Amino acid sequence: MHLEEKTISSEPAYQAKIFRVTKDTALLENGTEAVRDVVHHSGGVCVVPLTENNTVLMVKQYRYPHHEVTLEVPAGKTEPGEDHHDCGLRELREEAGRTCGKYTYLGKLYPTPAYDTEVIHMYLAEELSSPEEQNLDEGEFLDVTEIPLEEAVQMVMEGKIPDAKTQIALLKTWLLTQGK
């Protein structure tokens, strides 16, 4: 079939804490075979916590692979058997110390579809509760900061927020809220 590859074999290559890698052999539509290295990831969620003042609660966090502090919306990976809806609410509580009265699904994205199975689901959280204490994972360190939505969108457009999930979720939020 056109634009389809069939898996002939799949062998474990590496098992890490948050992902595993397989070395697959795929049959291409022209009858030849190709090797495909695939990163298998449980997926994740990001949440745009939007206040009544049209500001976004964002987190500053050190990202080891890039050796820099990034500015992102609260996010995290789904635990085994956890629904992405519930994961987003959990991450909102853990990282931003908030709950919400209105929770809107913004869709999903594939951050690196060429070799990674990860899917990130995006949500908009509104009608936020008063701040509560964060409940961060062990070894997780981050600071919450509040930025006007318009400023955060400008930062995306100026290349000051390189995180893909944050860029997409903020731009979708901006588009959804402009009619309000």
Side-chain angles (χ1 to χ4, degrees):
M1 188 145 58
H2 184 56
L3 298 179
E4 184 177 336
E5 299 180 7
K6 295 186 180 183
T7 304
I8 297 171
S9 65
S10 182
E11 299 176 20
Y14 180 74
Q15 179 67 53
K17 182 179 177 184
I18 61 170
F19 64 86
R20 67 184 173 88
V21 179
T22 60
K23 184 174 193 146
D24 295 0
T25 302
L27 179 64
L28 307 182
E29 65 181 79
N30 66 359
T32 62
E33 295 180 5
V35 174
R36 302 288 189 232
D37 295 320
V38 181
V39 176
H40 299 268
H41 188 283
S42 65
V45 172
C46 71
V47 180
V48 178
L50 187 64
T51 71
E52 61 190 23
N53 298 325
N54 216 34
T55 61
V56 179
L57 301 179
M58 299 184 71
V59 296
K60 291 180 180 178
Q61 185 172 12
Y62 186 81
R63 291 301 193 181
Y64 182 83
H66 298 283
H67 299 288
E68 68 181 73
V69 174
T70 60
L71 184 62
E72 305 174 30
V73 293
K77 76 176 190 64
T78 53
E79 299 299 330
E82 184 179 32
D83 180 75
H84 58 80
H85 176 275
D86 298 335
C87 176
L89 293 172
R90 176 177 54 77
E91 290 295 338
L92 178 64
R93 275 190 317 276
E94 288 178 3
E95 293 191 358
R98 302 291 183 101
T99 58
C100 64
K102 185 176 178 187
Y103 193 54
T104 306
Y105 185 62
L106 299 177
K108 66 182 180 180
L109 69 96
Y110 300 152
T112 47
Y115 60 86
D116 190 346
T117 64
E118 183 178 17
V119 176
I120 298 177
H121 296 273
M122 300 170 287
Y123 286 90
L124 169 60
E126 298 173 281
E127 301 172 8
L128 301 176
S129 66
S130 297
E132 298 173 14
E133 188 174 334
Q134 292 170 298
N135 185 21
L136 301 175
D137 294 333
E138 186 175 330
E140 183 177 36
F141 305 95
L142 54 85
D143 293 332
V144 177
T145 187
E146 197 167 332
I147 298 175
L149 176 59
E150 186 171 3
E151 182 180 331
V153 168
Q154 189 62 41
M155 291 173 75
V156 168
M157 299 308 294
E158 293 172 354
K160 295 178 180 175
I161 297 177
D163 178 60
K165 70 184 178 306
T166 298
Q167 289 182 358
I168 295 168
L170 285 173
L171 293 175
K172 283 187 160 199
T173 297
W174 176 257
L175 288 172
L176 283 173
T177 59
Q178 288 313 289
K180 291 185 178 181

